[in-house]
Amino acid sequence: MDLALELLTATLTSPWVYLLIAVAAALDSLMPIVPSETLLITAATFAATGHPHPAGLILAAAGGALLGDLAAHLVGRFAATGVGRWRRWARIANLLDSAHTVFSRRGGTVLIAGRFVPGGRSLATIGSGLLGFPIRTFLLWDGIGSLAWALYSTAIGLIGGMIFEDRPLLGVAVGIGIALAITGSAELIRRLRRRRRGHTRHRFTEFQDRDVTMAGMSQTYVWYVSYGSNMARDRLACYLQGGRPPGAMVTYPGARDATLPRAEAGIELPGTIYFAGESKVWGGGMAFYDHFLPGPTPAKAYLITAEQFADVAAQEMHRPPEPDSPLERLVFDLAAGSSHSLGPGGYETLLVLDDVDGVPMVTFTAAHRSSDVEHAQPQEPYLAMLRTGIAEVRAASGLPLPAAAQV
């Protein structure tokens, strides 16, 4: 035991320890089996006596980690050349779309947090390259994450070394135990938050009409999710039964089926609305939904037939409802999380947000994103209708809707 301790002490107090730490941190990104964190904590435990120097360990670990992560990112970019072939499988296509959405919204957070999750570092770095995450942005956020990881691991080792100055191996064990406890606690919190989000989604199924069941509705009904003026049920009624909303400049013919929604629910979407273009109905800007931006956005989900949804979409584009619209089948053919542009119009990009027991949640928006167009101020009649709809969403869901104060 004494010989082993002497060899370990000689290795970790040698100037070569900085190169060892840097190489281990670099290899860990592509080969997660390399125990770079354990090695860094061990070296930092001995650093409590002054050798090696803690600052040198931090710089070596952070620099090696960033270099290794860059290599993993480039591997992902190289693999992306064949990603188009993978999209023939719907499950993989959905996974790629979901991952792209996550990186578009909070890619920096993913890169930092992934470093502290077992196996998360490789997934985040290779995935960022696979999804075309900008390399300059990658270097910025990954550099922050690498430095944070190096500081965190070195600090844990120093704590163990200072507590057990005369028993360095016990200090190493304590340091590794602290790291495992922190990682385990973080994973427990993540699971609890995921379960809580599941409960939040479950609230969506608690409809105002308690007699509604999903049985037999697949391939017939959809949840039409409105984030604009159609959040107000009287406004949507004009699309279904015909009429002119208060303050509007257009009278609608109504849908082929004038039946009102079978159920409705107030929800929140993980995205942001923005106003652009010029509305023929209200004047001023129209509301569009950018699902790549952070949220939340208040929305109203209506249970209507696919035929009614196609008729609402047609009237949104100032066209009369027509039979045999391809949209009636398309809503059932697309996987959750996917999109499809039916045309260049403002509301001709179909988004399949999710599904509830086989009934798809769908909406439409523009093909452009918030950053692609010049924003325009909406007119007061339009804003008044949005306020009415948001109030209904709040009443239906019981969820806090901070976006309501922004309208």
Side-chain angles (χ1 to χ4, degrees), residues 18 36 55 72 80 185 197 205-206 242 276 311 360 382 393:
Y18 303 113
S36 61
S185 300
R197 287 197 298 268
T205 64
E206 298 175 357
D311 290 351
Y382 191 28
V393 168

Side-chain angles (χ1 to χ4, degrees), residues 181-218:
I182 293 175
T183 301
S185 300
E187 179 65 14
L188 177 60
I189 292 172
R190 186 187 69 83
R191 288 178 178 271
L192 291 175
R193 290 182 64 185
R194 184 176 181 180
R195 182 177 299 178
R196 184 176 180 182
R197 287 197 298 268
H199 290 329
T200 300
R201 183 185 171 189
H202 178 69
R203 294 182 66 178
F204 170 68
T205 64
E206 298 175 357
F207 311 118
Q208 289 184 335
D209 183 354
R210 299 292 177 174
D211 296 329
V212 170
T213 61
M214 296 294 100
M217 293 187 180
S218 179

Side-chain angles (χ1 to χ4, degrees), residues 14 51 74-75 133 144 202 232 258 285 299 325-326 365 375 394:
S14 166
H51 298 285
L74 295 176
V75 167
F133 196 65
I144 294 173
H202 178 69
S325 168
T365 185
H375 291 194
R394 181 189 287 119

